[in-house]
Amino acid sequence: MIVEMIKWGYQEGKTLFGFGYDFRQSNRLSETLDRFSKKLESVYTASGGKKINLITHSMGGLLVKCFISLHSDTFEKYVKSWIAIAAPFQGAPGYITTSLLNGMSFVEGWESRFFISKWCMQQLLLECPSIYELLANPNFQWKDIPLLQIWRENLDNSGKKSALLESYEPEEAIMMIKEALSSNEIIADGMHIPVPLNLDILNWAKETYDLLCSTKLPESVKFYNIYGIDYDTPHTVCYGSEQHPVSSLSSLLYAQGKYVYVDGDGSVPAESAKADGFNAVARVGVAADHRGIVCSRRVFRIVQHWLHAGEPDPFYDPLSDYVILPTLYEIEKHREKHGDVTSVAEDWEIISPNDGKTLRPGELPPMVSTLTTSREGKEGALEEAQATVVVHPEKKGRQHVQVRAVGVSHGG
């Protein structure tokens, strides 16, 4: 089917799927944004004129950001708050590089669901604008720069072979991908049909980058960002090895790339997802993969808290995912023979939303800990303090924490 579509476009001289137009003039995108505008209006009207809380996932975040850039007044009129979940604001470079070169990342792990070869998938992806828009944004100041690395075969003047590791940053990497795909083709019914990197779509993607970078969020709209963490996420891709270097760039189409991973949701690096470019009310990282994050109970609790849905819980902290409930606070000061004494007693109940079934990072194991310190104060006065923390065993999702501190100030 994909081959037939490409044959039709090649024979008729058409631009497949209407791609390759200027971003702002694309009929396909204009129609999508118009439908989105009408949907916002209809929901606003149906709610009796109440502004909308908008929640997006993945590429939905980029679509909304484009909408804001082109229809800021409409967005401000209908939207109260926007929560973006796992949005690839600066791209998802690791997977996208291998997708364009040989379609591997979109087929690997999906063989049981798709009756499609990696080459058919690659042909489709080379004509898909959203793939190009997920290339690493070359204008973004990456802390961890995504690279395309290639072990290249090198011949010296005497004909002796050696291997040289070349590293290309995002803009250079695109040129290498372009060269690798320059002779890419499919053969169908005796026809040789070229399938290179689509430069029209690439230029379109660059315009999209510029549009997204210049987007300003209306001041009346509150923005929140939830991104995935704790999953190895492809970032840099390396082809070849020192023992088996690549002889020509065209051979990258048949080579298996090796990933260098960073933290993220398995698809989108956390660095990319956090870089929304807005003055966010809050950004929270959640341990979840790219698809599973929308099913996360923690994400549901965070969204519920931000939107003030249901019974309000003023003690819930989205960053730690705990409710820390103060149950006791007492402070007492008195004078004794050996000096002024200040004592503090404070108790908390830490309520874990996971009902205490498993111990997660940040939870406190049962323990008793004491700290004693002293120092020489003003005019030779000796100051001493001792604090004891008692963490009781967790019961039914609640953990009792006690802090007892005593400070003594001796006269000089």
Side-chain angles (χ1 to χ4, degrees):
M1 177 62 179
I2 297 171
V3 172
E4 290 302 316
M5 291 165 67
I6 293 178
K7 280 175 57 183
W8 173 80
Y10 180 68
Q11 290 173 322
E12 300 295 324
K14 295 181 172 65
T15 303
L16 296 182
F17 314 117
F19 300 157
Y21 296 97
D22 178 84
F23 179 88
R24 286 150 291 190
Q25 302 300 323
S26 168
N27 291 332
R28 181 187 67 87
L29 188 65
S30 295
E31 290 174 1
T32 300
L33 296 183
D34 286 344
R35 287 197 299 270
F36 183 54
S37 179
K38 291 176 181 178
K39 177 62 70 175
L40 290 177
E41 182 180 6
S42 65
V43 173
Y44 176 83
T45 302
S47 67
K50 293 182 179 180
K51 285 193 172 185
I52 300 163
N53 295 310
L54 187 64
I55 302 174
T56 61
H57 175 252
S58 194
M59 286 290 287
L62 298 190
L63 181 63
V64 169
K65 198 170 182 182
C66 288
F67 183 85
I68 295 172
S69 182
L70 299 174
H71 302 281
S72 179
D73 292 344
T74 302
F75 194 80
E76 185 174 21
K77 179 180 179 180
Y78 297 129
V79 177
K80 177 182 179 181
S81 63
W82 170 30
I83 301 175
I85 302 175
F89 286 112
Q90 304 301 331
Y95 274 148
I96 299 308
T97 298
T98 54
S99 298
L100 290 172
L101 287 172
N102 48 42
M104 283 302 296
S105 61
F106 273 80
V107 174
E108 185 179 2
W110 291 81
E111 292 89 344
S112 61
R113 304 190 187 192
F114 290 137
F115 296 96
I116 183 171
S117 73
K118 68 174 186 176
W119 298 117
C120 286
M121 180 62 78
Q122 183 222 24
Q123 295 153 20
L124 176 62
L125 298 178
L126 283 170
E127 301 297 329
C128 180
S130 60
I131 294 299
Y132 290 71
E133 290 164 356
L134 289 178
L135 285 163
N137 183 354
N139 301 319
F140 178 61
Q141 298 298 312
W142 293 89
K143 181 179 178 181
D144 293 311
I145 301 175
L147 303 172
L148 171 61
Q149 294 184 321
I150 307 171
W151 280 99
R152 296 284 291 270
E153 186 177 88
N154 185 48
L155 293 176
D156 61 19
N157 295 332
S158 62
K160 185 178 179 180
K161 293 182 180 180
S162 61
L164 179 66
L165 180 62
E166 300 176 353
S167 296
Y168 301 97
E169 295 190 5
E171 198 156 6
E172 298 170 318
I174 292 174
M175 296 301 100
M176 293 299 104
I177 295 172
K178 174 186 173 184
E179 186 176 342
L181 291 167
S182 61
S183 58
N184 185 41
E185 64 177 16
I186 59 174
I187 302 175
D189 298 335
M191 295 177 59
H192 290 254
I193 305 171
V195 190
L197 191 70
N198 193 315
L199 300 184
D200 287 336
I201 301 179
L202 181 62
N203 290 331
W204 181 10
K206 289 179 179 178
E207 293 180 5
T208 304
Y209 289 147
D210 294 340
L211 195 70
L212 293 174
C213 289
S214 63
T215 302
K216 302 295 182 183
L217 186 73
E219 291 185 2
S220 64
V221 179
K222 293 181 178 180
F223 174 74
Y224 304 84
N225 185 334
I226 299 176
Y227 55 93
I229 57 173
D230 291 352
Y231 279 76
D232 286 339
T233 304
H235 199 52
T236 285
V237 185
C238 183
Y239 286 95
S241 66
E242 190 172 6
Q243 294 74 28
H244 303 285
V246 172
S247 58
S248 66
L249 288 178
S250 60
S251 64
L252 296 183
L253 277 62
Y254 310 97
Q256 179 71 50
K258 294 181 180 179
Y259 294 122
V260 175
Y261 298 94
V262 294
D263 188 33
D265 61 20
S267 298
V268 180
E271 183 180 3
S272 171
K274 287 192 293 184
D276 46 67
F278 296 137
N279 183 20
V281 177
R283 296 184 185 88
V284 177
V286 175
D289 65 23
H290 190 68
R291 294 183 179 87
I293 196 168
V294 293
C295 303
S296 167
R297 291 185 63 187
R298 182 182 173 190
V299 168
F300 179 81
R301 288 191 296 270
I302 293 171
V303 171
Q304 186 180 35
H305 178 75
W306 283 342
L307 299 183
H308 306 289
E311 291 295 325
D313 190 346
F315 298 104
Y316 178 69
D317 180 6
L319 289 175
S320 63
D321 197 29
Y322 291 109
V323 176
I324 301 179
L325 188 64
T327 58
L328 172 69
Y329 181 77
E330 294 178 350
I331 184 168
E332 181 182 343
K333 296 182 178 181
H334 63 277
R335 178 178 291 275
E336 295 182 0
K337 288 183 179 180
H338 53 273
D340 296 327
V341 178
T342 303
S343 61
V344 176
E346 189 166 358
D347 284 21
W348 310 306
E349 291 286 347
I350 300 179
I351 304 174
S352 171
N354 70 337
D355 299 326
K357 294 179 182 178
T358 58
L359 188 68
R360 300 179 303 174
E363 292 187 38
L364 299 174
M367 66 178 183
V368 177
S369 182
T370 301
L371 174 67
T372 301
T373 184
S374 64
R375 71 171 185 174
E376 186 175 325
K378 295 180 179 179
E379 299 178 356
L382 181 64
E383 298 176 352
E384 297 179 281
Q386 184 181 78
T388 301
V389 179
V390 181
V391 180
H392 296 273
E394 186 182 15
K395 290 183 179 180
K396 297 182 179 179
R398 289 175 176 259
Q399 196 157 35
H400 185 198
V401 179
Q402 295 176 302
V403 177
R404 300 291 182 264
V406 176
V408 180
S409 177
H410 301 278

